[in-house]
């Protein structure tokens, strides 16, 4: 699992129910864009607003549509440990390649180990830990190394912290590259991430453009990769000012692309005021111009 592994939005119909038809279109789009995998039910997917039954059906629909064409990772983060374990079992039964989880707050190192061991006992081959800290440094390096040594399936770390770049390098060096590293929210530092040897990156939306940037970079065409990335930055400058803004913006972009039937969100702070609404329309227009230039060619199952 390398390259661009986007986080899937969860589409809703006009009545607010999960729209499985739009979800199937998104899965096919993600595969056809040349992505190295996909992540479902994460923050971009508004997982906190979904019931356990909705999550289970989401997993089944994505797994069935994907048909194991690319790795499918299921976020199993939930308020209750039992719910995370149940969703882990559902992911494995559906044929997902792995799970992703954020460690519950307030656990000491031994409690974190117990939690991950519990999930690992029921998980597919990949166990990804989401190191999410919007304003701080996230998990201590010592805890990461300890957990990686104790839990064999813990093979991926998704770093979304303050100053993510130096942490990518620190973890890669401390684990001698044995722990796969991916980034997400720090997508505005994508060039920095690729230069540090990050294995995958988990943005949302504009998949074909990101794949083109990554392909250029891997081919040694760094200047061309940077030039294309810099065309993305004004869009990301708007979308990444807040997670609620990001969720709503990319829902609107999905609708403008024809992937989603609506741009509806359940997340309460996924709202624009009148000025943001104007700016969002400009950003969507710019994004569509880029997307049309890097439109993927369909790949069969």
């Amino acid at each position: 699992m390398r390259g661009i592994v986007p986080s899937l939005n969860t589409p809703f119909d006009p009545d607010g129910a999960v729209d499985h038809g739009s979800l199937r279109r998104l899965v096919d789009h993600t595969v056809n864009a040349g992505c190295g995998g996909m992540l479902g039910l994460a923050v971009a997917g508004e997982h906190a607003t979904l019931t356990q039954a909705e999550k289970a059906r989401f997993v089944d629909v994505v797994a069935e549509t994907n048909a194991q064409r690319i790795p499918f990772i299921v976020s199993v983060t939930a308020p209750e440990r039992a719910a995370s374990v149940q969703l882990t079992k559902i992911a494995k039964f559906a044929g997902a390649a792995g799970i992703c989880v954020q460690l519950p707050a307030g656990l000491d190192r031994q409690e974190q180990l117990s939690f991950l061991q519990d999930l690992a006992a029921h998980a597919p081959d990949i166990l990804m830990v989401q190191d999410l800290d919007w304003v701080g440094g996230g998990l201590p390096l010592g805890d990461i190394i300890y957990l990686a040594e104790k839990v064999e399936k813990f093979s991926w770390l998704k770093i979304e912290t303050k100053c993510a770049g130096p942490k990518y390098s620190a973890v890669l060096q401390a684990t001698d590259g044995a722990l796969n590293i991916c980034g997400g929210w720090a997508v505005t530092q994508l060039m920095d991430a690729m230069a540090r040897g990050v294995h995958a990156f988990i943005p949302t939306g504009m998949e074909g453009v990101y794949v083109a940037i990554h392909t250029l970079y891997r081919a040694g065409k760094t200047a061309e990769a940077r030039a294309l990335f810099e065309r993305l930055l004004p869009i990301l400058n708007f979308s990444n000012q807040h997670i609620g803004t990001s969720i709503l913006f990319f829902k609107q972009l999905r609708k403008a692309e024809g992937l989603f039937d609506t741009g509806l969100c359940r997340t309460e702070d996924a709202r624009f005021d009148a000025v943001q609404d104007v700016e969002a329309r400009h950003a969507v227009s710019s994004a569509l111009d880029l997307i049309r230039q890097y439109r993927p060619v369909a790949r069969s199952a």
Side-chain angles (χ1 to χ4, degrees):
M1 188 168 65
R2 293 291 185 269
I4 305 303
V5 183
S7 183
L8 305 177
N9 300 107
T10 302
F12 301 115
D13 68 19
D15 295 323
V18 177
D19 177 1
H20 297 118
S22 292
L23 181 58
R24 290 182 187 278
R25 287 195 294 273
L26 178 59
V27 171
D28 284 334
H29 164 83
T30 303
V31 174
N32 292 333
C35 295
M38 65 181 81
L39 172 67
L41 299 178
V43 176
E46 301 177 83
H47 70 90
T49 72
L50 302 177
T51 67
Q52 193 77 343
E54 287 175 324
K55 291 179 179 180
R57 180 64 178 144
F58 179 104
V59 171
D60 287 342
V61 169
V62 173
E64 178 187 323
T65 308
N66 178 41
Q68 297 187 330
R69 286 177 287 174
I70 60 176
F72 170 38
I73 308 299
V74 179
S75 174
V76 301
T77 300
E80 302 294 334
R81 183 169 181 159
S84 291
V85 171
Q86 182 189 38
L87 196 53
T88 297
K89 293 177 179 179
I90 290 169
K92 185 174 182 179
F93 182 78
I99 62 167
C100 177
V101 69
Q102 186 179 356
L103 295 174
L107 300 186
D108 62 29
R109 182 182 286 188
Q110 290 305 311
E111 290 169 331
Q112 291 174 340
L113 176 60
S114 174
F115 176 78
L116 288 184
Q117 287 175 330
D118 199 5
L119 293 186
H122 306 287
D125 291 339
I126 295 173
L127 197 165
M128 176 187 291
V129 171
Q130 182 181 17
D131 184 10
L132 176 62
D133 187 341
W134 298 113
V135 297
L139 296 172
L141 182 59
D143 288 357
I144 293 169
I145 296 169
Y146 175 79
L147 294 171
E149 290 175 345
K150 295 292 185 180
V151 183
E152 183 178 358
K153 287 184 178 179
F154 173 25
S155 55
W156 280 84
L157 181 68
K158 184 187 181 192
I159 296 175
E160 297 181 290
T161 66
K162 183 179 178 181
C163 299
K167 191 166 188 179
Y168 299 149
S169 294
V171 175
L172 286 169
Q173 182 177 359
T175 62
D176 197 24
L179 187 60
N180 295 286
I181 303 301
C182 58
W185 184 244
V187 68
T188 51
Q189 291 91 55
L190 177 60
M191 296 301 296
D192 178 291
M194 292 190 297
R196 294 176 187 274
V198 167
H199 300 93
F201 219 85
I202 304 181
T204 300
M206 302 181 289
E207 291 82 3
V209 183
Y210 282 112
V211 169
I213 293 169
H214 184 262
T215 301
L216 287 168
Y217 190 90
R218 295 283 293 175
K221 299 178 180 180
T222 307
E224 293 177 47
R226 185 178 298 279
L228 179 53
F229 175 66
E230 288 175 353
R231 294 177 64 190
L232 277 180
L233 284 177
I235 301 165
L236 297 178
N237 185 57
F238 175 80
S239 67
N240 277 39
Q241 58 187 295
H242 183 268
I243 185 60
T245 305
S246 175
I247 291 170
L248 178 55
F249 173 77
F250 286 109
K251 283 286 192 72
Q252 292 186 347
L253 181 58
R254 300 293 197 197
K255 184 176 185 296
E257 289 178 87
L259 293 172
F260 286 5
D261 290 339
T262 80
L264 291 179
C265 301
R266 288 184 183 175
T267 300
E268 289 186 3
D269 57 2
R271 301 289 184 271
F272 293 156
D273 65 18
V275 176
Q276 287 176 314
D277 195 54
V278 172
E279 291 302 310
R281 287 199 294 271
H282 283 291
V284 165
S285 178
S286 296
L288 287 175
D289 286 343
L290 274 175
I291 288 167
R292 292 185 188 106
Q293 293 178 50
Y294 296 93
R295 191 175 299 280
V297 178
R299 296 191 295 177
S300 59

